[in-house]
Amino acid sequence: IMSGWTLTLKQAPALRLDLRALSPAALAGLSADAVAKFGVWHGNESVALGELFTIAARTDDALHFEGDLSRADRIGWQLAAGRIHVDGPVGDYLGAGMSGGEIVASRHAGLLAACEMSGGRLEIGGNVGDYAASALPGSMDGMRGGTLLVRGSAGARFGDRMRRGSALVFGDAGDFLASRMVAGTIAVAGRIGAHAGYGMRRGSVVCAGTAPTIPPTFVANDANIAVFWQLLARDLARHGGAFASLPARRVQRHLGDLAAGGKGELLLCV
């Protein structure tokens, strides 16, 4: 038996929704009646899912959300397996802490999307707010695995404290991109804001669009990285868009942040 559900928002909620309890696994095997009675937080009170959403069974095992969910936070929170699809904008913490499975959101996402993500695949069809692929407030580790694709543009502090994984932005990125980055790969197709790589310790930032202003704590490096670049470029090229042409392009390499150890790199595509 298939155990997927389509949840269609009836109307915009008065307060923010916390949907961290909803996952394909949590709703699998439940009857439609049981799903309707499932409690989620609306502000500081628990509300039955059926009061907020129209509920319909699916022929697959995915969890689909439909409607303007820009006030719905923590969709896909700590997702370990399964598929979640959101047809509409979403709130904050999308896919935060996810370790497996797949989340596809068709439009914009709020703050802290993919923060502390350690596995799986998260795709955002529109823009994403500040602190995507970064650390939860007060935490030392940002994104540490998996793949994040942002089809639109990203806000400030994208990849802050990132440790592992791949994060691609098909549009522009805001200020302080890859700040305090420890390792991993970030690629941006469009423009990049000020202070890229601030406090960066290791990791790679591929600047596939307009070259950003190189911070004064980065230094040009002419070591031959052709083999490494081909491997990285092909890996990014499979995601298409502006990244498809990377294997045919050359790169200029700048090492930094020298104020933080200097083992990171900004790779400018020429």
Side-chain angles (χ1 to χ4, degrees):
I1 54 167
M2 292 300 173
S3 53
W5 300 95
T6 298
L7 307 178
T8 306
L9 194 64
K10 292 178 178 177
Q11 61 194 55
L15 303 169
R16 296 195 79 84
L17 295 174
D18 185 338
L19 301 186
R20 74 176 80 196
L22 295 181
S23 69
L27 301 183
L30 296 183
S31 65
D33 195 39
V35 173
K37 288 176 180 165
F38 198 96
V40 294
W41 290 101
H42 175 238
N44 63 355
E45 65 174 347
S46 183
V47 175
L49 212 50
E51 290 184 32
L52 302 163
F53 294 89
T54 304
I55 295 161
R58 298 179 55 80
T59 56
D60 58 19
D61 55 5
L63 177 57
H64 273 235
F65 292 92
E66 294 183 356
D68 183 351
L69 290 140
S70 50
R71 283 186 176 175
D73 301 329
R74 291 183 166 88
I75 290 175
W77 176 263
Q78 295 181 347
L79 181 73
R83 291 182 300 126
I84 295 177
H85 194 282
V86 189
D87 192 4
V90 296
D92 303 335
Y93 297 103
L94 174 71
M98 72 182 284
S99 59
E102 180 181 61
I103 301 174
V104 178
S106 66
R107 295 186 42 206
H108 304 321
L111 304 172
L112 290 152
C115 61
E116 300 195 17
M117 173 181 184
S118 62
R121 181 179 181 274
L122 173 56
E123 181 176 344
I124 296 167
N127 300 333
V128 69
D130 296 345
Y131 287 100
S134 75
L136 287 164
S139 180
M140 292 294 288
D141 285 352
M143 178 176 173
R144 49 187 185 270
T147 302
L148 169 64
L149 302 177
V150 178
R151 299 286 176 190
S153 294
R157 293 274 184 183
F158 185 89
D160 183 57
R161 292 194 183 279
M162 180 174 174
R163 295 192 77 92
R164 244 182 100 191
S166 301
L168 287 77
V169 180
F170 287 73
D172 302 331
D175 296 343
F176 290 100
L177 172 79
S179 58
R180 303 183 293 183
M181 183 177 183
V182 180
T185 304
I186 294 174
V188 179
R191 294 188 308 277
I192 293 172
H195 313 296
Y198 174 84
M200 180 181 187
R201 303 218 310 262
R202 290 189 305 279
S204 304
V205 176
V206 177
C207 311
T210 311
T213 302
I214 302 298
T217 51
F218 279 73
V219 61
N221 175 276
D222 60 0
N224 187 340
I225 58 163
V227 175
F228 161 76
W229 171 243
Q230 275 305 306
L231 291 169
L232 179 59
R234 281 182 212 154
D235 187 52
L236 296 172
R238 62 196 171 89
H239 297 292
F243 304 109
S245 64
L246 287 183
R249 298 171 70 181
R250 290 182 300 108
V251 287
Q252 293 172 350
R253 186 179 187 224
H254 294 261
L255 298 181
D257 183 337
L258 293 180
K263 294 196 174 97
E265 57 184 6
L266 296 177
L267 299 171
L268 278 53
C269 299
V270 294

